[in-house]
Every structure is written in C-alpha cells, then in structure tokens.
Amino acid sequence: MTIDVTTVSDAQFADLLTRGESHFLDFKAKEVSPAKLTKSLSAFANADGGELFIGVLNSGSSIKRWSGFVDAEAANGHIQAFEEFFPLGSYFKYQFLKSDRYPGLLLHCEILKTPDIRSASDSTFYLRRGAQNLPQTREDQISRLKFNKGITSYEDHVVKIDSGEVTNSKPILEFMLANIPTAEPLPWLKKQQLIDEDRPTVAAVLLYAEEPQAALPKAGIKIYRYQTSGMGTRDTLVGNPASIEGHAYALIAKAVQATVDIVEKVSVVGTTGLENVSYPRESIHEIITNAVLHRDYSLNDDIHIRIYDNRIEVQSPGVLPAHVTVENILEERFARNQRIVRLINKYEDPPNKDVGEGLNTAFEAMRKLKFRDPVIEQLDGSVKVTLRHEKLASPEEMICEYLRVHPEINNAKAREITFIGSENSVKRIFNKMMKSKIIERIPDRAQAKTGYRRGPNFPSKATK
C-alpha cells in the first residue's frame, strides 16, 4: 500500500501548532504505541471526525516539535495496526508530511465521522470531547453512541401506557379513514411494528396518541419572541413562551402557523422606513418539519423556536446522525426516526412531501426571495438552523438603496438596516464608499452628528 507524501511549508506547520489540540485536532509523538493511538481514531470516528498528527511533540519551538519517522517504512507498524481497526477508505485517510527544513516524516491521519461506532484496539469505544478521548464503557454511554449514529432509534422503545391510547384515539381513526380505510387500527399498528406486547412504541405515541406529551413530556415545541437583533434575554422576551403540543402531524402544522403569525407582527427599520419582516413559508415549514421528524426523542428537551427581529432559530435535540455533517447535510440522506418519517408521509397531505429534500427546499425558497442561505450549526447535543432576514445585497448596496429614498444616513442607521453590530465595521464601509465618491460626508457637522449623503459617483439606480 502506497501512502502519499505531501510537502508542508514552515508557515503551514507553525499555523498547525498554533491551532493546538482541540475537539478536531490531536498531536502525538511517534513513540506512543499504535494501540494507544487507536484511541484517538476511535474517539474522532465516534464524534465529529478530526485529524491526528503523529510525530509532533507536545512542547518546544517548531523545529523541536517536529519529530517524525525516519522514513515511510519506519511507520509500517502504525499503519498495520490502524488498518486492522480503521482501514484506509471512505472514512480514514492517511498521508505523510515532509518538510524541506525538518527531518523525517509526520503521519497525518484524517478521520471522518463514521456511520457506525468504532472501538480502539483495546475493544473500548472512545468519544472525543474537547481535547480528550473519553472511554465509553457504561451501557448508557454506548446506547447514547448508537442513538447519535442512528444505529438504534428511540422511536422503537416501548412506552408504558395502554395500547388503547393509540389504537382507539381520534388521530389514528382519522388517519385510517382517510388513508387506509380497509384496515383496522390494532392489526395495522402491529404490522407496522408500532405495538410491542400490547404496549405502544415511542413512534406510535408521537404519531397517533391524542396527547403524546402526556406520556413523553418533552416531545413538544416552545416558541419565544425576542424583541432584539442580538442575544435573547429575559428583558427582551415578549410575553410568555408559547407551548405547542399534539401528535406529530398536528404539531408541525400548529407550530408553523404559530411561527408565521408571530413573524407577521414583527417590523424593523429598513431602507424605506419601518418594514414588516417576512420569510418564505416553505422554509419555515420545512425546517420545523425536519426538526420534528429527525430530532432525538431520547433526549429530555423540547424543540425551541426563537424569533428575533432579524432571524428565526429552530433548535432541535440530538446531534446529526450517522455520517451526516453540517458540510454534507444537503447531499447525504439518513433518517434517525425511519418509522415516523415513513408513516407521516402516508397522510394525504404529508408535511414531508419530498422525503429527504426538506432542507434543500428551505434553501431554495430563501434563494428565490434573494435571502441568504439558512445557517446550520451542530451544538453540544443539538442542531440549530437559523433563517436570517438578510438580503443577498451587500451593505454598500443597502446603504445606496436607503439614500435613494432618504437625503442622508449615519452610522447608527446603517447598522440598523444592515444588521452589522460593529460601529467600526460600518465606518470602514463608509470610508471605502467615500474613496469611490459614492457618498460624501455632510460638511459643517459636529462629529457626534456625522452624516453622509450621495456623492458624485452615486449610482443612479440599483445594479443587478
């Protein structure tokens, strides 16, 4: 097996050292045994992926920290040990790094997030947290790893309530009459593996119980309205958070409508004055649907929808499952709750019309209205999707648009319409526009009342 050799510059190596060990980066000396190093590979694979550099000492100057293998053959023992547990392929990549200045070769291991859980050579599973490789030895820890990867799903767990809560409920009767009128609820639910020894599963309760939150208290949605463009606080919270409950199909519909109703009442200062905030309903619908269908129901937390003056945040419990990452989420498909996703799609008007395409639809809807793409973040134990009320227009274009309607603009007003928080950032934008003579400073004004007006090169109309 031939492993590529790549040359790195002094600056690249110095930058690598500056980054330091972290959740995604680990340095090890070549003297550390391959068996111990597999702990890092296991930890990265079971978390979010990362990089391991072998042949880097923990302290000293750059030249002292580079302590590589004499040649590629000297690393054979490491490669062979790694290949046994972490074979070269889609999720594990190896390369050697060489330098024109430092002797020897570093072994660079790139580990991607895997769809399964991986043990180290000691048969223990590890998880990367910060700069640590934490052993996962308890049954609940290993179960959590499997939930996170989607190997097992909490939707199949049995809920200790009577099966009549789902076999004779209004939601199941309405569903059966509209979609499968020739079947009876109990045998049909058993066939769908939603009843186990006369007890309903989590999926059954979420889909067909009249009040799922009575059995699963944290399976609802909380909606907050914060009157600010900054961080939400108790002082900026408008009223009490709204609690949305009900079976999954109704929960999605009610949450979408409640969110739209709140957003329609939000107004902010725009280029033409006070403007109503609007988002494509498709984006709100798809992101809330995605949160309800793909959240981790084993976690004791609601979905949280936070509505600000300039954005909507939808935060759902659970990390991205299997091999799905923030970077590949629009291309990869993986359903943590496969039964819920499949069965809710059987409704005549399903919320997930294009199975697996929800987030793509949300992105497309935002782009049609020339809004910036949604932002997807994986936090510690949850995923947050943010819809920003922010046009694709640059700050310069927004300032020009404002000056087409108003005679002047100042720093505070520019920050208000562009959602730029920094006064100095806006100053730099103004200075650049003045150099191009697009705007000019209004003369004979005290510094505290500085204003800007159209300059000789001000564009006559918006450019496309």
Side-chain angles (χ1 to χ4, degrees), residues 392-404:
L392 285 170
S394 67
E396 291 85 352
E397 290 171 325
M398 296 177 76
I399 289 169
C400 287
E401 186 180 346
Y402 183 87
L403 285 173
R404 288 188 186 95

Side-chain angles (χ1 to χ4, degrees), residues 44-63:
F44 283 131
N46 293 333
D48 303 303
E51 296 175 275
L52 172 63
F53 291 84
I54 303 167
V56 180
L57 301 180
N58 283 330
S59 61
S61 61
S62 293
I63 193 168

Side-chain angles (χ1 to χ4, degrees), residues 3 27 43 75 85 89 138 164 171 182 254 259 277 354 369 378 390:
I3 297 178
F27 302 132
F85 294 91
R138 300 196 314 268
T182 58
K254 289 192 288 185
T259 301
V277 171
D354 299 313
L369 292 184
Q378 180 163 285
E390 186 175 343

Side-chain angles (χ1 to χ4, degrees), residues 7 24 30 39 48 57 95 117 182 208 222 229 256 265 295 298 326 377 397 409 411 430 452 458-459:
T7 301
F24 298 100
K30 64 180 184 294
K39 296 178 181 180
D48 303 303
L57 301 180
Q95 67 172 334
I117 58 176
T182 58
Y208 305 121
K222 290 283 194 297
S229 295
V256 170
K265 298 176 183 177
R295 62 155 290 178
S298 71
V326 169
E377 302 171 83
E397 290 171 325
I409 190 170
N411 193 295
F430 280 154
Y452 303 85
F458 187 86

